[in-house]
């Protein structure tokens, strides 16, 4: 946790997100496997079973990060039941931690460990962590990114070849990334900055 926070950017605000990720790992729900025997819709589309599991783990991890939206109404959006299933664990944990912190704060007041006569109760409540739930937006954005890049460049083998140093395939992948970014900016028009959000999600994965 210390090393992750040390590497993270301050304005990314990963403190709560990293703690949630650690607790989800400790609880055995942040992994690349199935929940039960059912395969939910909205998972990775390309690659073999191993590659799909790797992409599924990426989707789950980055979906812990909140997506920044523009102040406008949300008309329609892609749906991933795979991420909604994971998000149920995330929301339960987030609300449990919030309830725990609120209970500790009330206990401090009742025991006299903090001053009772005060006028800043609203400010205290707003300053406590785990205030808001996180949706599945970042995970869906990364799924769209991964699926589109893979489809446009010609499949996972081309991406592997580009990673191994093939110059021609690297050009294909870079071109696919540019086209995908334009497509996502159009498809996710209510996201504040698609490129910046993708980069923030990648930084969270790196830490």
């Amino acid at each position: 946790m210390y090393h992750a926070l040390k590497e993270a950017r301050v304005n990314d605000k990963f403190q709560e997100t990293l703690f949630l990720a650690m607790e989800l790992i400790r609880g055995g729900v942040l992994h690349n496997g199935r929940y039960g025997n059912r395969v939910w819709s909205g998972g990775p589309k390309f690659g073999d079973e191993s590659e799909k599991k790797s992409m599924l783990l990426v989707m789950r991890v980055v979906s812990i990060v909140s997506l920044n939206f523009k102040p406008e109404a949300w008309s329609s959006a892609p749906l991933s039941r795979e991420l909604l299933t994971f998000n149920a664990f995330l929301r339960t944990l987030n609300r449990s931690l919030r309830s725990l912190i609120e209970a500790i704060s009330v206990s401090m007041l009742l025991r006299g460990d903090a001053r009772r006569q005060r006028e800043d109760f609203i400010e205290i409540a707003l300053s406590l962590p785990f205030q808001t739930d996180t949706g599945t937006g970042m995970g869906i954005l990364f799924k769209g990114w991964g699926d589109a890049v893979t489809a446009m460049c010609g499949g996972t083998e081309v991406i592997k070849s580009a990673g191994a140093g093939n110059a021609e395939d690297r050009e294909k992948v870079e071109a696919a990334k540019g086209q995908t970014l334009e497509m996502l900016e159009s498809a996710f028009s209510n996201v504040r900055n698609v490129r910046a959000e993708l980069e923030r999600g990648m930084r969270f994965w790196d830490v």
Side-chain angles (χ1 to χ4, degrees):
M1 183 74 174
Y2 168 76
H3 291 291
L5 290 174
K6 187 177 180 181
E7 294 295 326
R9 295 184 181 181
V10 175
N11 58 355
D12 280 335
K13 300 178 181 178
F14 287 155
Q15 294 90 338
E16 295 178 24
T17 312
L18 285 167
F19 190 85
L20 288 169
M22 288 181 61
E23 288 298 303
L24 289 168
I25 294 172
R26 197 161 66 95
V29 295
L30 182 53
H31 52 72
N32 63 356
R34 298 176 182 175
Y35 298 124
N37 297 320
R38 183 170 179 177
V39 179
W40 299 97
S41 62
K45 291 183 177 180
F46 297 96
D48 56 28
E49 191 64 25
S50 176
E51 291 167 342
K52 287 181 178 179
K53 283 187 174 182
S54 297
M55 186 59 194
L56 179 59
L57 179 60
V58 172
M59 289 168 55
R60 288 174 178 172
V61 169
V62 298
S63 71
I64 305 174
V65 181
S66 296
L67 196 61
N68 291 318
F69 296 100
K70 297 177 182 177
E72 60 185 38
W74 181 287
S75 57
S76 62
L79 176 67
S80 171
R81 289 186 173 84
E82 184 66 63
L83 286 176
L84 285 173
T85 304
F86 172 72
N87 188 257
F89 295 109
L90 176 60
R91 285 178 179 244
T92 300
L93 174 61
N94 189 80
R95 294 176 184 181
S96 297
L97 291 172
R98 176 69 184 191
S99 297
L100 175 62
I101 291 173
E102 289 177 345
I104 292 172
S105 301
V106 172
S107 175
M108 291 175 64
L109 291 171
L110 294 176
R111 287 165 52 92
D113 296 331
R115 180 167 51 85
R116 298 185 187 181
Q117 299 299 325
R118 57 197 313 145
E119 299 179 356
D120 59 346
F121 287 110
I122 294 178
E123 288 81 359
I124 292 174
L126 293 175
S127 69
L128 296 177
F130 308 110
Q131 183 177 354
T132 58
D133 289 325
T134 302
T136 60
M138 186 69 83
I140 292 175
L141 182 63
F142 264 75
K143 178 189 180 312
W145 168 263
D147 286 348
V149 169
T150 304
M152 288 182 179
C153 74
T156 58
E157 293 302 322
V158 176
I159 295 176
K160 290 179 182 178
S161 176
N166 186 298
E168 182 179 350
D169 287 338
R170 188 183 297 118
E171 290 181 3
K172 291 181 181 179
V173 172
E174 291 302 320
K177 287 180 179 179
Q179 295 173 3
T180 299
L181 186 60
E182 294 178 2
M183 182 187 70
L184 291 179
E185 287 174 344
S186 175
F188 293 84
S189 58
N190 59 332
V191 174
R192 191 177 298 275
N193 186 326
V194 172
R195 179 189 291 273
E197 292 302 286
L198 285 169
E199 291 175 349
R200 191 164 63 94
M202 291 175 185
R203 287 197 297 271
F204 180 69
W205 174 261
D206 288 339
V207 300

